[in-house]
């Protein structure tokens, strides 16, 4: 297999890449919103519910107690969060978490394939509809195996990074001094960031799988090759979305506050506010996901040379392998 050209991305700045994504999304936000809402409801929210259920049914206080006196206060706080749950509730939550885990394991790959296909269609001015978010299920095996292979590599590399990370944390705890604990925590945080950046080498696997008629193994390998030398660019590009992520978290925060106030106060006003803010949160998250994934699609198109550089003045996306202007309908 010929080595891919990975010299196109330095032509683009992060601002240019994001501007190209916004240009392609202009006039398409509302049309793509139903598909993105389906994605959030069927993929993102089940993941959140699974995490919450796992947290509430885990024996967190006991685990914190094993950490010694330093974890005693945290254990008492955690116990306060779970003490109100009955045995039946814990059993139902545990079952729900297990079912959702299996559901996510089976469907995450095809949905990821669908999302990448949707964003590539938007980028290339090709036809799409709400049904496009289910298009990955027509290649279920490809989506599932891509997810499985990436998950296996992620797990293995996490072990490689976390074993020395846990040793650093343990060394800080054994030392006992505040400075040693602070230093070990800082080093652990650096290791986690290094792991996150390293795992970005697999970020293009689903774009490649959705875009090319190649095997799953070839798609993952090609993602690694394409990202070589470009991981820092991709990381900085994703980091540039941090203000938008924090802004999107605002309605989520107030939705949680009004939800707990509705539970404790029994107020209908807080209940209504909680529902409204939850809907706003879902819409904001769906639009932000669309923006970020389309930006990744631009990055993918640039790194594979599917279009030429953008004009500083016009911002026109041009080219592809046939040299056509992809902004033309």
């Amino acid at each position: 297999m010929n080595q891919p050209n990975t010299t196109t991305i330095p032509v683009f700045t992060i601002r240019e890449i994001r501007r190209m994504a916004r240009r392609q999304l202009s006039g398409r936000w509302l049309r793509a919103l139903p598909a993105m809402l389906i994605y959030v409801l069927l993929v993102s929210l089940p993941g959140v519910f699974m995490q919450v259920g796992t947290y509430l049914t885990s024996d967190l206080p006991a685990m914190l107690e094993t950490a010694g006196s330093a974890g005693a206060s945290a254990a008492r706080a955690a116990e306060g969060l779970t003490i109100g749950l009955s045995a039946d509730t814990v059993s139902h939550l545990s079952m729900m978490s297990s079912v959702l885990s299996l559901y996510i394991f089976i469907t995450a790959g095809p949905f990821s394939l669908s999302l990448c296909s949707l964003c590539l269609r938007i980028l290339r001015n090709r036809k799409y509809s709400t049904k496009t978010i289910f298009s990955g299920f027509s290649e279920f095996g490809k989506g599932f195996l891509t997810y499985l292979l990436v998950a296996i590599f992620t797990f293995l590399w996490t072990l490689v990074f976390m074993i020395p990370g846990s040793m650093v944390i343990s060394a800080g705890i054994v030392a006992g001094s505040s400075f040693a604990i602070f230093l070990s925590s800082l080093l652990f945080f650096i290791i986690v960031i290094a792991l996150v950046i390293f795992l970005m080498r697999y970020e293009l696997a689903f774009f490649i799988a959705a875009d090319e008629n190649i095997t799953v193994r070839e798609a993952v390998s090609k993602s690694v090759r394409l990202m070589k030398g470009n991981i820092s660019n991709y990381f900085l590009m994703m980091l540039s979305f941090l203000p938008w992520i924090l802004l999107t978290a605002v309605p989520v925060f107030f939705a949680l506050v009004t939800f707990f106030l509705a539970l404790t106060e029994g107020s209908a006003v807080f209940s209504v506010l909680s529902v409204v803010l939850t809907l706003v949160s879902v819409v904001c998250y769906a639009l932000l996901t669309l923006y970020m994934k389309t930006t990744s699609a631009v990055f993918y198109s640039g790194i594979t040379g599917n279009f030429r550089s953008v004009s500083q003045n016009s911002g026109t996306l041009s080219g592809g392998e046939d040299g056509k202007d992809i902004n033309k309908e």
Side-chain angles (χ1 to χ4, degrees), residues 80-218:
L81 294 174
T82 58
I83 194 170
L85 299 178
S86 65
D88 287 341
T89 301
V90 171
S91 177
H92 291 155
L93 285 174
S94 179
M95 182 177 296
M96 180 194 74
S97 298
S98 299
V99 171
L100 287 176
S101 297
L102 180 61
Y103 165 79
I104 292 171
F105 178 71
I106 293 174
T107 63
F111 272 124
S112 296
L113 207 62
S114 302
L115 180 59
C116 290
S117 177
L118 173 66
C119 293
L120 287 173
R121 285 173 178 270
I122 291 173
L123 182 65
R124 297 168 180 173
N125 289 329
R126 294 177 180 173
K127 292 181 179 180
Y128 66 92
S129 66
T130 302
K131 294 180 181 179
T132 305
I133 204 63
F134 298 104
S135 61
F137 287 88
S138 63
E139 295 184 279
F140 177 85
K142 194 173 188 179
F144 175 75
L145 291 176
T146 302
Y147 175 80
L148 180 62
L149 190 58
V150 171
I152 290 173
F153 283 134
T154 299
F155 173 74
L156 294 176
W157 282 116
T158 299
L159 287 181
V160 171
F161 278 80
M162 287 300 102
I163 289 176
S166 61
M167 293 174 63
V168 167
I169 288 292
S170 299
I173 295 175
V174 170
S177 68
S178 299
F179 177 75
I181 294 175
F182 169 77
L183 184 60
S184 63
S185 300
L186 180 61
L187 290 174
F188 181 78
F189 177 75
I190 293 173
I191 291 173
V192 171
I193 295 298
L195 171 63
V196 171
I197 295 174
F198 184 81
L199 291 178
M200 285 184 172
R201 65 212 303 252
Y202 304 116
E203 283 293 320
L204 300 182
F206 282 103
F207 281 108
I208 296 168
D211 199 34
E212 300 185 27
N213 186 24
I214 58 178
T215 67
V216 169
R217 186 172 181 178
E218 288 172 337

Side-chain angles (χ1 to χ4, degrees), residues 40-59:
V40 171
L41 292 174
L42 295 183
V43 180
S44 301
L45 288 185
V48 172
F49 292 146
M50 181 196 71
Q51 294 295 332
V52 172
T54 301
Y55 168 79
L56 291 176
T57 57
S58 63
D59 195 4

Side-chain angles (χ1 to χ4, degrees), residues 22-44:
R22 289 195 303 271
R23 180 177 292 274
Q24 293 305 110
L25 286 168
S26 179
R28 298 177 172 92
W29 292 98
L30 292 180
R31 182 182 172 188
L33 182 58
M36 294 308 302
L37 289 176
I38 291 173
Y39 178 83
V40 171
L41 292 174
L42 295 183
V43 180
S44 301

